[in-house]
Amino acid sequence: MTKQSFVTLSDGAKVLVRVIGESEYKKPLFIALHGAPGLSSHAEPENSFGFLASRFRVLVYDGRGSGESDSKGPLTDERWIADLDEIRGWAGEENFVLAGGSYGGFLALGYTLAHPERVRALILRDTWAYGFRAALRAVNTIARSTEIKTDPEQQLRLWSGCVRDNTDFETGVNAIFPIYTAKKQNTVPATKDDDFEKAQPRYRYETHNAAFSYSVPRFDIRARLGEIEAPTLVVVGRHDPVTPVEESQEIHDNIKGSVLEIFENSGHSPPSEEPELFQERLWHFLDKF
């Protein structure tokens, strides 16, 4: 059973929330965060983690400023982390399993550091611990790629949070979609925007600009990774050009007892590129507690 609601937060903003796996008996709560503010939506984590509904209440939502949710400011990591805690309270649980992919991983890390007592376990998919370095690395990778042709000035606008409007945003991200998936023999990487992490994107450039001009340059939790005590699974695709393996390796090396899973035939989204193996590895991790 799936329940969908618009949840009104403390400042009046309305956020679209979906809970998959509601039933007459109590199941633990699993909250999964989408990435790409202003582009992605609840559809990505629902596709990635919805299979867990047999044992969990899987809660996904459109972050403030994304999908169908209100864009009332401020659109900052601090506000998105506060929203997550309000949604946890709305769901009626003191603690839960938390997952985040790409930008959602930033927020999952930030939430875990702010509220360690709330997080039973942490799952990070293709993410970073240091935003400024990672954004520069992504721009460099795109500029050097022989698989795509991009407008360098447009890519600088995209990764610095200075896109001009939704058209500029859409053309900028569509230009780089082909390298987000691993190249497979006799196949052509997807270029349709609805193939991006199965996220059904809705372009909201103001949200993207807020995230990449303000929060990304300030995001650096490398020195605090050792504070995380929750059981942690770090997932990354071997061929991810945006959040490459070394970013996940750094997170794994600094969170004591964490597990690193590298998906050899994936780019930025192992849940959609190697779904059976991803589900197997996730169940193996969750079965430990």
Side-chain angles (χ1 to χ4, degrees):
M1 177 180 175
T2 299
K3 174 184 177 183
Q4 178 168 305
S5 309
F6 276 95
V7 176
T8 303
L9 301 177
S10 58
D11 67 346
K14 290 182 171 56
V15 173
L16 178 68
V17 177
R18 286 170 59 83
V19 182
I20 305 103
E22 286 279 27
S23 65
E24 67 280 3
Y25 63 93
K26 191 77 166 178
K27 290 189 284 188
L29 181 65
F30 185 107
I31 300 181
L33 309 177
H34 68 76
L39 172 65
S40 194
S41 72
H42 71 274
E44 179 269 306
E46 183 168 342
N47 280 302
S48 297
F49 298 102
F51 71 94
L52 296 173
S54 60
R55 281 175 42 189
F56 292 87
R57 287 192 298 150
V58 179
L59 188 155
V60 298
Y61 63 98
D62 291 348
R64 180 187 297 249
S66 295
E68 300 300 320
S69 293
D70 288 349
S71 58
K72 183 176 181 178
L75 299 173
T76 62
D77 286 0
E78 293 78 12
R79 181 67 257 183
W80 285 316
I81 288 169
D83 290 349
L84 170 55
D85 199 53
E86 288 195 40
I87 290 167
R88 173 209 54 82
W90 171 85
E93 296 290 350
E94 291 299 312
N95 51 62
F96 62 100
V97 178
L98 176 60
S102 197
Y103 201 104
F106 304 173
L107 302 179
L109 284 163
Y111 183 90
T112 302
L113 290 168
H115 303 282
E117 74 285 357
R118 301 289 190 200
V119 181
R120 296 179 57 194
L122 178 63
I123 298 162
L124 302 169
R125 192 270 297 163
D126 297 85
T127 195
W128 314 323
Y130 180 23
F132 181 67
R133 179 189 65 194
L136 290 178
R137 177 179 281 161
V139 171
N140 181 58
T141 298
I142 290 164
R144 294 164 64 90
S145 175
T146 59
E147 300 173 40
I148 55 175
K149 293 182 179 180
T150 59
D151 176 343
E153 291 187 3
Q154 184 178 60
Q155 290 302 312
L156 285 174
R157 292 196 300 273
L158 180 67
W159 290 93
S160 63
C162 297
V163 295
R164 296 166 176 163
D165 51 32
N166 282 331
T167 299
D168 193 32
F169 187 22
E170 183 174 0
T171 55
V173 296
N174 279 339
I176 61 176
F177 279 155
I179 63 170
Y180 270 67
T181 55
K183 292 183 68 175
K184 297 178 176 63
Q185 187 174 9
N186 299 322
T187 65
V188 176
T191 57
K192 290 175 58 180
D193 59 11
D194 59 359
D195 288 321
F196 176 66
E197 299 180 350
K198 299 186 182 299
Q200 301 172 3
R202 175 182 172 186
Y203 294 91
R204 300 175 69 171
Y205 80 97
E206 299 96 338
T207 305
H208 167 85
N209 281 351
F212 278 79
S213 66
Y214 181 83
S215 292
V216 169
R218 291 167 174 79
F219 181 74
D220 183 1
I221 49 86
R222 292 172 296 169
R224 298 192 63 195
L225 289 170
E227 299 175 28
I228 296 175
E229 298 181 353
T232 301
L233 174 64
V234 184
V235 171
V236 64
R238 173 67 71 185
H239 308 286
D240 190 337
V242 178
T243 56
V245 171
E246 51 262 44
E247 301 285 353
S248 290
Q249 186 72 55
E250 179 178 50
I251 294 170
H252 166 62
D253 288 346
N254 287 282
I255 299 179
K256 186 177 180 180
S258 64
V259 176
L260 175 64
E261 294 283 3
I262 301 173
F263 287 77
E264 298 295 337
N265 297 303
S266 291
H268 192 58
S269 183
S272 59
E273 295 182 72
E274 296 182 78
E276 292 182 3
L277 183 59
F278 175 79
Q279 292 177 22
E280 175 188 312
R281 298 287 171 82
L282 195 57
W283 278 127
H284 180 71
F285 173 73
L286 292 171
D287 282 343
K288 294 178 181 177
F289 56 91

